[in-house]
Amino acid sequence: MEASWIAGLVGGILIGISATVLLAFNGRIAGISGMVNGALTFARAEQWRWWFLGGMLGGGALYEYVLAPQPTPTSTFAPWAMVIGGFIVGFGTRMGNGCTSGHGVCGLGRLSGRSLAAVITFMVTAAITVFITRHVIGL
Amino acid sequence: MREKGLALIAGLLFGLGLGISQMIDRERVLGFLDIAGNWDPTLAFVMGGAVLVTLISFRFILRRPHPIFSSKFYLPTRNDIDRLLLVGAGLFGIGWGIAGYCPGPAITATVLGIANPFIFLVAMIAGSLTFQAIAPRLASPKSAAPSQPLAK
């Protein structure tokens, strides 16, 4: 538990390196909501996005089944929360052109004011939402 | 082909980072967002570590005329903070708070072999396509005029 910030920092640096190599070599932004939306056009020019998404699965599997000191805890919490939350995330990220990676990791790295406004907004609404679900409704 | 190979490597690093940082554990994410509970600062270190790298590296990369494998950088061109950005980001935060997943961790968490990330992703794609379908009716006059002068 007390080492979680170190793991967080190491993981975060890897994510930053991922965004760095994608921009330096391919000139692309590592924003995952946009990655999915682009991949789902199934256009030839967007095929690289499927390779990136495949890599995300490979990297996750490499961690979970080779490197992980213990299995990642899983919960089977409330499928309805996934349906509602997932739908709103998809709707909102398409409307706002990005998520934690596109606006957060890449947008802040580019010193984009638009991304900073987005990050502050979604951090605040997410914290308010969790406050309501956990402490007001008591889920 | 080399662009695809590079994308695969970048994806691997991204997924590995999400695994090591344990952002694929939704309780970790919700623990960060739950400021009135037993607050878990891990996500701040993940975001901080990632932004620390991009803040430095992007400065050098974007000074170059073009990326190594490509003739141009594909960057967002808009600088204006409009209502769609703020409402969209606000909605994203609400969904994130309800599910505990954002798009990246949900994709990588599918390797854990549980149903929730899959359910989340299907719903997420449905939400994205829904917005895409109604977007023409929501377009503000501003965003409908891409010819306006844009700073980089």
Side-chain angles (χ1 to χ4, degrees):
Chain A
M1 187 66 192
E2 57 279 356
S4 78
W5 71 269
I6 300 174
L9 194 61
V10 171
I13 288 170
L14 283 174
I15 292 167
I17 293 172
S18 165
T20 296
V21 297
L22 196 65
L23 187 67
F25 285 85
N26 291 7
R28 297 286 184 168
I29 291 293
I32 309 305
S33 58
M35 196 71 68
V36 173
N37 290 334
L40 289 174
T41 64
F42 297 101
R44 250 190 109 70
E46 311 294 340
Q47 276 177 357
W48 65 274
R49 297 180 189 274
W50 288 103
W51 290 74
F52 186 94
L53 294 171
M56 287 178 73
L57 300 183
L62 174 65
Y63 169 76
E64 188 67 19
Y65 301 107
V66 181
L67 304 172
Q70 66 264 327
T72 297
T74 56
S75 69
T76 51
F77 179 80
W80 64 263
M82 301 301 138
V83 174
I84 298 170
F87 189 90
I88 301 174
V89 166
F91 192 93
T93 51
R94 177 67 72 106
M95 181 190 262
N97 298 117
C99 58
T100 351
S101 47
H103 280 312
V105 175
C106 296
L108 296 183
R110 292 189 303 119
L111 300 173
S112 158
R114 221 172 117 77
S115 289
L116 179 62
V119 171
I120 292 170
T121 305
F122 67 64
M123 284 293 181
V124 169
T125 59
I128 292 171
T129 302
V130 173
F131 182 81
I132 292 170
T133 56
R134 288 204 165 171
H135 302 288
V136 179
I137 307 175
L139 290 175
Chain B
M1 198 60 222
R2 57 186 185 173
E3 280 100 333
K4 289 174 185 166
L6 189 284
L8 178 70
I9 292 167
L12 273 168
L13 290 168
F14 205 105
L16 191 60
L18 288 173
I20 289 175
S21 63
Q22 286 288 281
M23 293 296 103
I24 55 175
D25 175 5
R26 58 188 288 284
E27 290 299 326
R28 269 258 129 81
V29 175
L30 292 172
F32 172 79
L33 296 174
D34 187 6
I35 46 176
N38 186 12
W39 191 61
D40 180 344
T42 307
L43 190 145
F45 286 95
V46 182
M47 195 64 126
V51 173
L52 194 69
V53 173
T54 58
L55 265 179
I56 299 166
S57 69
F58 281 17
R59 296 188 80 83
F60 292 98
I61 295 167
L62 296 176
R63 221 178 273 165
R64 301 176 58 89
H66 60 84
I68 296 164
F69 289 167
S70 180
S71 58
K72 59 173 270 203
F73 289 105
Y74 299 82
L75 298 173
T77 48
R78 291 179 56 183
N79 271 335
D80 59 311
I81 297 170
D82 67 329
R83 202 192 306 168
L84 283 181
L85 174 80
L86 296 178
V87 175
L91 284 172
F92 162 50
I94 293 171
W96 188 28
I98 292 172
Y101 286 123
C102 53
I107 288 167
T108 297
T110 58
V111 306
L112 300 177
I114 50 173
N116 274 347
F118 289 98
I119 301 170
F120 175 90
L121 288 171
V122 171
M124 181 185 96
I125 291 166
S128 174
L129 294 177
T130 302
F131 179 75
Q132 193 190 22
I134 66 168
R137 271 178 271 165
L138 293 175
S140 57
K142 251 186 167 177
S143 57
S147 56
Q148 65 181 308
L150 296 165
K152 185 175 74 81

